[in-house]
Structures are given as C-alpha cells and as structure tokens.
Amino acid sequence: MNENTEKSSSKPQPTRPEPSHRFSVAPMMDWTDRHCRYFLRLLSRHALLYTEMVTTGALLHNDAARFLRHDASEHPLALQLGGSNPAELAACARLAQEAGYDEVNLNVGCPSDRVQNNMIGACLMGHPALVAECVKAMIDTVQIPVTVKHRIGINGRDSYAELCDFVGQVRDAGCKSFTVHARIAILEGLSPKENREVPPLRYDVAAQLKRDFPDLELILNGGIKTLEECHEHLQTFDGVMLGREAYHNPYLLAEVDQQLFGSQEPVVSRSEVMERLMPYLVAHVESGGAVHHITRHILGLGQGFPGARRFRQLLSADIHKAAAPLQVVEQAAQLLQGR
C-alpha cells in the first residue's frame, strides 16, 4: 500500500470498481475531506469521489503526504488540483499518480476572490490557451486520466462561442472528459455561495455543448437533487455530479449503485452504515483525532424518520459537551436501528 494511503480500519474491501463518471460527488471545500469520503463510500461502491481542491502550492511546498492521504476504500477517487502553472500542475499530477489516485481534475470553476488572486479556478476560463497548456503538461506526465471541471462562462466571457472556444482548445490539448457546472461565474460582487445559487442554471447550454462535442465525455453538475433527475439528465449527458445535495442528504447515495450502475447488492441501511463506520471512528479517536472530525459529515443521515432531529442534535451539539463522546455516537446510532 502506498505510504500516502491510510490503512483501512474496517474489513478488507472487495475489488474496487473501475472509475466511472456516470455518477460522482463534487469536490467541495471544507466538506469532501478523507473522513467524508470514507463515509460516502459506505453508501455507494461505484460513485466517483473527489477530494477538496488542493492547490499546487500546498502540495509542493507543504506536507504533500497529509494532503494526499486517503483510505484504500475510497476508490474510485480523483484528486482535484487548483493552479495555473503547467510545470507545477504536472509535478502535482505525478504525486497524485504515485499516491494511487484514479484521476486528476483541474479546477476551472471556483469563483472565490482568494483563488482568483492566484490565477486559480473560474477566472481561468478567460485564459483557454493557458488551461490547454496546463492540461497538456499533466497529460504528458501521467497515465491516469486528466479531466477539467468548469463553468459555462464568466462575466465578460459568457457567450456560447467563447465556451466552445474554451472546450475546443482544452480538447485539442488532449482532455476527453469535462464536468460542466451549468452556471456562469460572477467574478466580482458575489460570494462563492451566491455563485452556486444566483446565476441561473442553463442545462440547455450544457446540452448544446454535448451536441456540438459528441465525442467528448460531458458530465452535468449544478442543482441536481434526486436520482430521478439523474436518470433524466443521463438521457443527454454521459454522467451527473451532485454537490450539496449529496452532502446534506447523503442517504440518497444508498440507491445509486442499484439505480444507476445495475448492482444486484441490497441497499445498505442507515444502521448498517453507522455500524461499518464505527471501527473507523474508534481508530481515528485512538490515534488522537477528534470525534467531530467524522461525525460532522454524517448529520445528513438524520433525515426523514422519527428521531432524526434528535440524531442530529446528539452529533452536532451534545457530543461537544460530553466527557465520553463515543458514547454519544453510540446513542445516536441506536436511533438508526431499523432505518
């Protein structure tokens, strides 16, 4: 096992599925850390999971092993990078490959001021030639897939012709898979949260892009909330990516393998997920970690059943006041019995 990979504290995992973009969970800052991904993998074996965005500077000038650390069970797993220097991105892609990641994804969608100031994220949509150069540098360095996640435009460069120019240049550099957040990004005046809600969703623009680039793999992101919507969008697109809904209502992932990948395995129950998570949680605490590092990610299991509110209260409030927080987790787990 790679030294950057944390040994699983649960039972040995079956042979991991081949990476597929048919269904994925979006990279989300402060959310999709390794503990979140371990939890989500208990719900779906086939969903492609992404790390939080990691900047090239963080990997090259800090503790790369800490940023790349993951559990073997998290696969299929992609690392999302933030950066705009081709040589640095290539070096980071190599680190990702050596650490065992299944894919490297370049962030061309984040609209925050902090990343803009470092030429990272959505502002790169205004520099398609540079993005193409970055992608080519990574593709020339690694054997794992290199993909791009982007918006349909940015303010000042939001015409369909400019979107096609961006995709075309990056395609010509060798990229074959694009995840399209079907909103433009407003680079001034809106917070990152507002940029996920205020600009209107334009699925029609993304669908036209798929028609005009039929040979590319196109994954739709933005505003998708149900598996019914996933089925609908998969009539047009090659894959769907869920973000906030997958985090706030994670139990919807429990039916992903059966509904979208044709798995014959039974749907895992909430209580089974909690039972399988406990050894990992205990191991984390025994190694010096805090319980809330993990439990903050599982609050969404408490949705839609009697006792759900109490489940969330135990893990979001009571646990911080408890002398024995693991006992609070066990108390919360009891509320999931039969669920």
Side-chain angles (χ1 to χ4, degrees), residues 229-242:
E229 291 175 53
C230 290
H231 281 290
E232 180 180 347
H233 290 307
L234 285 169
Q235 303 302 309
T236 302
F237 300 96
D238 301 297
V240 288
M241 174 184 278
L242 269 67

Side-chain angles (χ1 to χ4, degrees), residues 13-315:
Q13 298 291 318
T15 302
R16 71 195 196 201
E18 285 296 313
S20 167
H21 290 106
R22 183 169 174 81
F23 181 94
S24 57
V25 177
M28 292 177 280
M29 293 299 294
D30 299 322
W31 289 2
T32 51
D33 64 16
R34 62 190 178 90
H35 302 309
C36 175
R37 299 190 306 263
Y38 186 94
F39 162 61
L40 295 177
R41 182 59 67 214
L42 297 176
L43 291 157
S44 168
R45 288 189 61 228
H46 292 275
L48 177 61
L49 302 179
Y50 283 80
T51 67
E52 304 169 89
M53 182 187 71
V54 181
T55 65
T56 53
L59 283 183
L60 297 177
H61 307 303
N62 291 294
D63 184 359
R66 176 171 68 87
F67 285 104
L68 294 172
R69 186 182 182 189
H70 62 279
D71 189 276
S73 69
E74 293 174 38
H75 293 279
L77 178 63
L79 175 72
Q80 188 182 66
L81 289 173
S84 57
N85 181 294
E88 292 179 354
L89 284 164
C92 291
R94 184 183 295 109
L95 289 174
Q97 179 171 277
E98 291 171 352
Y101 282 85
D102 299 299
E103 173 189 319
V104 175
N105 178 266
L106 180 63
N107 183 319
V108 192
C110 181
S112 80
D113 292 339
R114 181 172 60 86
V115 298
Q116 284 184 59
N117 293 336
N118 292 294
M119 277 292 286
I120 298 172
C123 63
L124 288 174
M125 291 207 70
H127 306 274
L130 176 58
V131 175
E133 186 180 353
C134 291
V135 165
K136 185 177 188 305
M138 290 189 283
I139 289 174
D140 288 347
T141 301
V142 297
Q143 286 72 54
I144 58 177
V146 174
T147 65
V148 170
K149 184 174 187 290
H150 63 94
R151 297 285 185 124
I152 58 172
I154 55 177
N155 53 308
R157 198 178 195 277
D158 58 2
S159 72
Y160 184 68
E162 288 166 318
L163 175 60
C164 289
D165 176 54
F166 172 85
V167 171
Q169 290 196 48
V170 178
R171 173 204 59 192
D172 293 346
C175 184
K176 303 301 181 188
S177 181
F178 295 75
T179 298
V180 183
H181 185 162
R183 289 185 173 95
I184 68 165
I186 307 297
L187 299 184
E188 302 90 19
L190 292 184
S191 68
K193 180 179 185 296
E194 290 169 329
N195 258 298
R196 294 190 297 268
E197 299 170 348
V198 175
L201 283 164
R202 292 294 307 275
Y203 294 147
D204 59 317
V205 172
Q208 185 63 49
L209 197 65
K210 177 59 186 176
R211 287 192 291 271
D212 290 338
F213 293 88
D215 295 335
L216 295 181
E217 183 180 53
L218 213 66
I219 297 93
L220 181 69
N221 171 234
I224 306 170
K225 295 182 179 299
T226 68
L227 294 187
E228 289 75 19
E229 291 175 53
C230 290
H231 281 290
E232 180 180 347
H233 290 307
L234 285 169
Q235 303 302 309
T236 302
F237 300 96
D238 301 297
V240 288
M241 174 184 278
L242 269 67
R244 287 167 291 165
E245 190 66 20
Y247 188 87
H248 291 307
N249 184 24
Y251 194 63
L252 69 81
L253 268 70
E255 295 190 17
V256 162
D257 292 356
Q258 291 75 12
Q259 288 203 29
L260 301 183
F261 291 95
S263 172
Q264 300 302 310
E265 295 293 322
V267 174
V268 65
S269 69
R270 288 180 172 86
S271 60
E272 288 170 330
V273 170
M274 200 69 174
E275 181 181 350
R276 296 173 189 177
L277 183 65
M278 285 302 295
Y280 179 86
L281 197 156
V282 170
H284 178 67
V285 172
E286 290 178 346
S287 68
V291 171
H292 74 267
H293 291 163
I294 298 171
T295 54
R296 72 186 185 96
H297 295 303
I298 68 174
L299 298 179
L301 272 183
Q303 301 279 357
F305 61 89
R309 183 178 180 183
R310 178 59 179 156
F311 175 88
R312 298 193 302 272
Q313 181 184 22
L314 284 166
L315 297 183

